[in-house]
Amino acid sequence: MGPLVELKGITRSFGGVRALKGIDFDLRPGEVHALLGENGAGKSTLMRVLAGEITPDGGAILIDGASVAPYDPRVAASHGIAVIHQETALAPDLSVAENIFMRELPGIIAWPALNRRAAVLLKQLGFAIDPRRTVGDLAVAHQQVVEIAKALSQKVRVIVFDEPTAVLSTGDAERLHGIIAGLRAEGVGIVYISHRLEEVFRISDRMTVMKDGRVVGVTTPRDASVEDVIRMMVGRPLAALFPKAEGRRIGDEVLRVADLRRGNRVRGVSLSVRAGEIVGLGGLVGSGRTETVRLIFGADRRDDGTIHLRGEQARISSPLDAVLAGIGLVPEDRKHQGVILDMPIRTNTTMARLAPVVNALGFLRLRVERGLVEALSKRLRLKSAGVDAPASSLSGGNQQKVVLAKWFHAGTDVIILDEPTRGVDVGAKAEIYALIEELAAAGRAVLVISSEHQELFGLCDRVLVMAEGRIAGELQPADYSEERLLTLAMTRGAAPLRKAS
Amino acid sequence: MSVVTEDLPEGKRQRIEVSELFRRYGTAAIFLVLVIGAASQSQAFLTERNVMNVLRQVAPTGIMAVGMLFVILTRGIDLSVGSLLALGSVSCALTAAAGSGTPVAVAAAVGAGAAAGIVTGVLVAYAELPPFVITLAMMTAARGSALILASGQPIMMGDPGEALTDFGSGFVLGVPQPVILMFAVFVVAGVVLNFTKFGRIVKAIGSNAEAVRLSGIAAPRYVMAVYVISGALAATAGIISASRTGVGSGSIGVGAELDVIAAVVIGGASLMGGRGGVVNTLLGALVMGVIGNIMNLADVPGYNQQVFMGGIIVVAMLLQYGARWLRR
Ligand SMILES: Nc1ncnc2c1ncn2[C@@H]1O[C@H](COP(=O)(O)OP(=O)(O)OP(=O)(O)O)[C@@H](O)[C@H]1O
Ligand SMILES: [Mg+2]
C-alpha cells in the first residue's frame, strides 16, 4: 500500500531562521512513525505544515499519492488529518464537551446528549473526566486528553501527537499507547513526537530523526539502539543523564510546611526540605501536587496551614511574598503561567529578579542584562536567533528552558520545579539535571514534581508520594521502584503506609 | 548558541515577515501618504501657519494618547479622559481666577486628574473590577464634578490667568508652547517605556498578567500607576485647553476619549495589551489631526468628516492586521 501522506522537499523560514531545509517525510496507513530530534529541530513546524497551518516556502504535500494545492487547515481536516499540538489550543472557558465537539456544535445545543457523547468518548479513552467541567480548571494532563478526544470525535486517517506524554504520568501514558495501538490496528497513520525515547522504541514502527531542519536518518527500533538515535539527534555522544551527587552536603531544614489545606484538592499536607536536599513529589495527575506547591508559593489562597522558613513562620499570601521570602516556582503550565510569549527571551529571563539589571533610578542596564542572559542560555543550550528574539519564536522545549532560566537567575533559597523537563530533549535534560544538582550543592532547598518516575529516582534524595490531596508516604533511595511509587499513589489516601514527618 | 542562519546563502533568504513590517511602519506610511496627498491637493496645507495649527490642535489629544497608551498596554481602557480634561480645565481656571498663581493652578488641575486616577486605579487594580465599566463610571462622575465645580458656567481666568494664557498662545522658536509640552511628554514616555523597569513591567502585564504575578511582581501597583498617569495627563490636556481659550469649562472634551483611543489604535497598539509604542502613537494622533485639517481645508461638512474618520480607522486596522492574511 502506498503512503497516506507524503511531504516532499519542504522548506520554511521565519525571518532569518531556516526552520525546515528540505524535509522528506511519509506516513503509511497503520504505522506509528516517530519524529525525533532536539528542541528546535523543526518537528512541530513540520507538523504545522502537515496541518495546513503554515504554508511552506517550497516543497509539495501529497495525499494518497496526489499533490494537493492549495492546502490549508480545512483541506487537511477534510482529508482526515488531525494534529494534536504540543501546546493545547482549547477554549479555556468552555466545558469539556463543548471543546470536544467544537467543530460540529449545532445551533441549539442539546446538553444532555452532548455531555453523554463526550462522556462515552472519554470513557473509551479510559479517563473519567466530567464533560461539564470547564476546561481551564483541568490539570494540563487532562486538557491534553480533551484535546485527543476532540481529534478522535471525527473520522481520522492521520493523527499527529506532538509530545502527548510530556505531561502525562506513566499510567496515563500507557493508556494513551493503548489508544494508539487501537488506531493503528484500524489502519490510521500515526505520527508520534516525543523526547521519551524508551516509549518511542516501544511503540513505533519507524523513526525519522531530524536535526537543524534536516532529516538525518530514518530507521526502526529493530535496526538502531537508543544510543544510536541519541547520537543522531545530538551529533555527539551523551554523558550520564543524572549527575553524581558529589560533595553535596545536606544541611539544616529550610522549608517546612504544616497541614496545608485548600478545598478538597489539598487536604492537610506537611513536608519539609533541607538545604542542599532535592525532594521529589510524585503521584498521579490530580493528586494535588501542583495545587500544594501553588499554596506554598502563595499563588492560590490556602484555607489553612503554616509555612516556616529556616524555623521562622513566613507570611506568604502572594507570589510577591514568596519571592521576597526566598521561594521560587517553575510552574506547570508554561504558556499561561511561565513565559510571556510577546516579550524577548532576555526580558523573560530576568523577570523574577530585576535588581541586578536595574540601576538606582529604575533604568534598565541592557548590556548587563544581555550578558547575563546570554551566559545562562548558553548553559541551557537554548536554541534561538539571539536573546532579543521573542519567546514565541522558540520551540516548546526551548520555551521551557527560558522559564527555568528565569528561576535559576532568581536564585531563591527554595526552588520548586513543577515538571521541569516537560518537553525538553535528552541533551538539555542532562544539562538541567546538572543545574538542579548545582543549586542543591550551593545549599538551596529543591522540591521537584515530576510524572516521570525515573526522573524523580535519578534526581531526588527522597520522594514523597501524594494521593488524593495528602502525602501517602515517602520513598528512600533504597525503596525506589515504579511499583512502590504506584502502590502509594493508589492508596487513595487511606491508611498511609508511612507518614512523612 | 547555534543559529541556523550560518548556512544562508549571502543576503538571499533574509526575509522579514511582511506582517511585521506593516505593523511597525503602517502608521508612518498612512501618515506620509496623507501628508503627500494633502500637500499636492492644497497649497495651504504645508504652510508653516497651517502645520503649527494642526500641531496645536493635536496637542491635547496627543498628550492624552500617551496616558491611554500606558493603560492600553496593560490591557485596560480609560474612558474617563474626556471628562478629566474638563475637570482639569475647570480646576485650573477656578484656582487661577482666584489669584492663587500659576503653579497652584497647575497643581490643582493635575492633582484632580491624578486623584481620579487613583480612585479608578484602586478599583481596577486591587478590586479587580473591569476597567471598561469603572472608567465609564468615572467618566460620568468626573463630568458631573466638573460641571458642579463650575456651576455649569464657563470660568474666565481673566487677568490672574495671564501667565497661563501666555503659555497657551505663546511660541518658542516658532513652535506653539503646548506643542513643545506635547513633544516633551512623548519623549519622557518613550524613555520610560523603553528604558525603565516600569515600562517593561507595564508591557509585560498586558502580555501575560498571570506570568508577571507568578514572577513575584506587585502587578497591581503598576496597573494603578497607569490610571494615575492617564488621569494626570488628561488634566494636563485640560490646562492646555483652558490656557488656549482663557476659559475653563465643564462641558468640553465630550467624546474626546474616543479620539484618543482612535489615535492609540491607529498607532498600532493592541487593545489586547502588551503591544504599542510612543512614536506610532504620536503618528496616530497626527493622522487624526491631519485628516481633520484636510477636510476643513476642503470644506467638507462636519458630519461627513465623522464618516470619513470612521473609514480611516478601518483602513488603518486593515493595513496593520490584514497583512496577516497574506501569509500564514
Ligand atoms: N513563529 C516562529 N517565528 C520564528 N521562529 C520560529 C517560529 N516557529 C518556529 N521557529 C523556529 O523554528 C525552529 C524549529 O522549531 P520547532 O517548534 O519546529 O521545533 P521542535 O523540533 O518542535 O522542538 P521541541 O522539541 O522543543 O518542541 C526553531 O529554531 C524555532 O525557533
Ligand atoms: Mg515542538
Side-chain angles (χ1 to χ4, degrees):
Chain A
M1 230 190 310
L4 276 171
V5 291
E6 277 175 275
L7 300 174
K8 282 202 166 144
I10 301 289
T11 58
R12 170 70 203 226
S13 307
F14 296 97
V17 180
R18 291 173 67 198
L20 302 175
K21 307 174 191 168
I23 301 277
D24 294 326
F25 181 85
D26 69 88
L27 183 66
R28 300 180 198 135
E31 86 166 334
V32 177
H33 191 156
L35 194 52
L36 306 172
E38 283 184 297
N39 294 133
K43 306 180 293 292
S44 299
T45 306
L46 186 67
M47 290 304 111
R48 286 175 64 205
V49 169
L50 178 61
E53 288 162 21
I54 53 180
T55 320
D57 298 331
I61 297 158
L62 282 71
I63 298 179
D64 300 321
S67 174
V68 183
Y71 193 73
D72 64 28
R74 266 206 278 173
V75 176
S78 72
H79 284 95
I81 297 175
V83 177
I84 295 159
H85 287 297
Q86 192 167 6
E87 309 288 347
T88 53
L90 299 167
D93 297 325
L94 297 186
S95 74
V96 169
E98 284 171 292
N99 267 287
I100 292 178
F101 299 110
M102 181 80 84
R103 270 166 295 195
E104 39 159 330
L105 278 185
I108 295 168
I109 300 174
W111 286 108
L114 195 73
N115 287 334
R116 216 172 318 118
R117 275 174 66 201
V120 169
L121 194 58
L122 288 165
K123 190 106 173 274
Q124 280 170 4
L125 296 179
F127 291 86
I129 300 173
D130 184 348
R132 288 164 303 188
R133 280 187 69 181
T134 306
V135 158
D137 295 340
L138 297 178
V140 177
H142 286 161
Q143 293 185 8
Q144 182 83 45
V145 173
V146 173
E147 191 86 67
I148 294 169
K150 180 178 171 183
L152 296 180
S153 74
Q154 279 164 340
K155 184 100 198 73
V156 292
R157 296 175 67 212
V158 170
I159 184 160
V160 176
F161 293 93
D162 195 346
E163 300 194 29
T165 53
V167 289
L168 296 188
S169 63
T170 315
D172 289 345
E174 265 156 27
R175 238 174 291 174
L176 174 68
H177 294 155
I179 298 166
I180 290 177
L183 291 167
R184 178 170 173 266
E186 289 169 24
V188 174
I190 296 144
V191 182
Y192 192 83
I193 302 179
S194 173
H195 291 293
R196 296 186 179 181
L197 294 177
E198 59 323 330
E199 66 178 26
V200 167
F201 272 72
R202 209 152 11 89
I203 69 164
S204 68
D205 301 303
R206 242 189 333 157
M207 303 184 288
T208 290
V209 182
M210 292 178 64
K211 181 168 173 55
D212 290 339
R214 288 205 173 83
V215 172
V216 290
V218 180
T219 178
T220 70
R222 276 173 307 284
D223 301 327
S225 66
V226 173
E227 289 70 38
D228 294 337
V229 169
I230 291 179
R231 209 170 311 115
M232 268 195 249
M233 276 171 59
V234 187
R236 62 189 152 83
L238 206 62
L241 191 55
F242 295 104
K244 265 264 157 297
E246 266 171 40
R248 185 146 67 77
R249 259 199 48 248
I250 296 185
D252 296 337
E253 185 177 277
V254 179
L255 173 74
R256 161 177 290 275
V257 304
D259 204 29
L260 230 46
R261 286 173 190 275
R262 179 181 166 87
N264 60 0
R265 314 282 289 173
V266 182
R267 304 194 283 187
V269 171
S270 304
L271 57 83
S272 72
V273 188
R274 294 161 170 278
E277 191 181 30
I278 306 176
V279 175
L281 207 48
L284 304 179
V285 168
S287 60
R289 298 169 303 171
T290 295
E291 288 82 356
T292 299
V293 297
R294 280 176 63 88
L295 294 185
I296 299 176
F297 187 61
D300 296 322
R301 197 171 309 218
R302 56 182 191 272
D303 298 340
D304 203 359
T306 54
I307 299 169
H308 283 81
L309 281 168
R310 299 193 190 282
E312 279 180 38
Q313 177 148 5
R315 280 170 191 276
I316 293 174
S317 56
S318 71
L320 173 63
D321 294 339
V323 173
L324 290 178
I327 304 177
L329 169 70
V330 173
E332 175 189 32
D333 182 346
R334 68 168 163 254
K335 186 173 152 197
H336 295 109
Q337 306 175 344
V339 286
I340 302 171
L341 286 171
D342 289 341
M343 300 200 101
I345 295 163
R346 183 167 48 75
T347 312
N348 270 289
T349 308
T350 54
M351 200 45 101
R353 189 164 68 100
L354 279 162
V357 298
V358 173
N359 72 14
L361 294 172
F363 282 87
L364 296 162
R365 299 156 72 194
L366 293 177
R367 195 166 318 146
V368 174
E369 182 175 57
R370 195 163 283 130
L372 264 169
V373 176
E374 268 166 7
L376 204 49
S377 60
K378 206 173 208 157
R379 271 298 313 260
L380 289 166
R381 295 180 193 285
L382 189 76
K383 190 177 169 200
S384 71
V387 294
D388 289 316
S392 59
S393 71
L394 296 176
S395 74
N398 283 299
Q399 289 178 11
Q400 181 68 26
K401 293 183 201 169
V402 170
V403 183
L404 286 166
K406 168 160 113 185
W407 290 102
F408 288 153
H409 169 73
T412 46
D413 284 349
V414 176
I415 178 156
I416 305 172
L417 306 133
D418 194 349
E419 304 286 356
T421 60
R422 176 180 168 201
V424 169
D425 69 46
V426 275
K429 252 183 197 168
E431 203 58 49
I432 289 167
Y433 296 146
L435 276 163
I436 293 175
E437 188 70 35
E438 224 173 80
L439 288 175
R444 305 266 151 73
V446 184
L447 186 60
V448 183
I449 296 180
S450 176
S451 296
E452 241 182 286
H453 299 155
Q454 292 313 319
E455 179 166 295
L456 289 177
F457 297 156
L459 201 59
C460 300
D461 300 317
R462 58 194 169 97
V463 175
L464 303 172
V465 184
M466 281 192 72
E468 305 230 311
R470 297 195 179 93
I471 305 252
E474 177 177 327
L475 295 176
Q476 294 293 335
D479 319 326
Y480 282 171
S481 78
E482 300 261 341
E483 296 79 52
R484 285 229 172 83
L485 200 157
L486 285 174
T487 314
L488 281 176
M490 313 242 247
T491 51
R492 310 247 145 203
L497 298 186
R498 192 154 115 198
K499 272 223 169 90
S501 52
Chain B
M1 256 166 295
S2 73
V3 183
V4 265
T5 40
E6 72 267 43
D7 48 358
L8 280 180
E10 275 301 304
K12 245 190 129 182
R13 301 275 319 158
Q14 286 283 356
R15 183 190 53 212
I16 296 177
E17 299 285 306
V18 187
S19 57
E20 182 60 30
L21 282 181
F22 272 94
R23 227 189 30 229
R24 226 181 271 175
Y25 303 112
T27 318
I30 296 172
F31 177 68
L32 281 180
V33 167
L34 278 176
V35 167
I36 292 169
S40 67
Q41 291 301 310
S42 161
Q43 296 286 317
F45 181 73
L46 268 190
T47 58
E48 186 182 334
R49 218 183 110 96
N50 188 52
V51 169
M52 289 307 155
N53 205 11
V54 171
L55 285 174
R56 202 207 316 247
Q57 271 164 10
V58 163
T61 314
I63 288 175
M64 290 191 282
V66 169
M68 188 68 76
L69 173 65
F70 277 85
V71 172
I72 284 179
L73 280 172
T74 65
R75 206 173 187 166
I77 193 86
D78 189 352
L79 299 177
S80 67
V81 291
S83 300
L84 294 181
L85 179 145
L87 185 63
S89 93
V90 170
S91 310
C92 172
L94 276 176
T95 34
S100 307
T102 307
V104 176
V106 169
V110 173
I118 290 175
V119 174
T120 308
V122 167
L123 293 171
V124 171
Y126 290 95
E128 296 182 19
L129 297 173
F132 190 95
V133 182
I134 295 304
T135 58
L136 188 65
M138 179 55 77
M139 172 171 134
T140 315
R143 175 68 62 194
S145 309
L147 288 167
I148 293 170
L149 274 178
S151 316
Q153 303 288 321
I155 315 274
M156 314 283 180
M157 292 200 288
D159 284 344
E162 209 183 317
L164 281 164
T165 37
D166 283 352
F167 163 77
S169 53
F171 290 82
V172 171
L173 301 173
V175 183
Q177 292 185 23
V179 173
I180 294 178
L181 178 62
M182 174 184 77
F183 282 123
V185 169
F186 270 99
V187 169
V188 171
V191 170
V192 168
L193 214 47
N194 293 307
F195 300 108
T196 70
K197 174 179 166 180
F198 179 83
R200 167 177 291 185
I201 291 176
V202 163
K203 280 195 251 182
I205 288 171
S207 301
N208 188 344
E210 184 64 2
V212 171
R213 185 178 85 94
L214 292 178
S215 298
I217 285 167
R221 268 182 229 165
Y222 292 84
V223 173
M224 163 123 181
V226 296
Y227 288 96
V228 176
I229 291 173
S230 178
L233 288 176
T236 306
I239 299 174
I240 292 180
S241 154
S243 54
R244 236 172 70 193
T245 54
V247 177
S249 161
S251 52
I252 54 164
V254 175
E257 59 281 347
L258 300 181
D259 287 346
V260 173
I261 294 169
V264 175
V265 171
I266 291 176
S270 161
L271 289 179
M272 301 308 283
R275 193 165 272 167
V278 284
V279 176
N280 276 335
T281 298
L282 176 60
L283 287 169
L286 290 175
V287 165
M288 299 276 295
V290 168
I291 295 171
N293 181 250
I294 294 171
M295 291 194 286
N296 279 336
L297 290 178
D299 281 330
V300 177
Y303 296 149
N304 302 35
Q305 289 198 8
Q306 292 181 3
V307 176
F308 277 120
M309 203 62 100
I312 288 292
I313 295 174
V314 174
V315 169
M317 290 301 98
L318 281 174
L319 272 178
Q320 280 159 13
Y321 290 88
R324 283 201 211 148
W325 303 326
L326 295 179
R327 189 178 166 81
R328 261 276 120 170

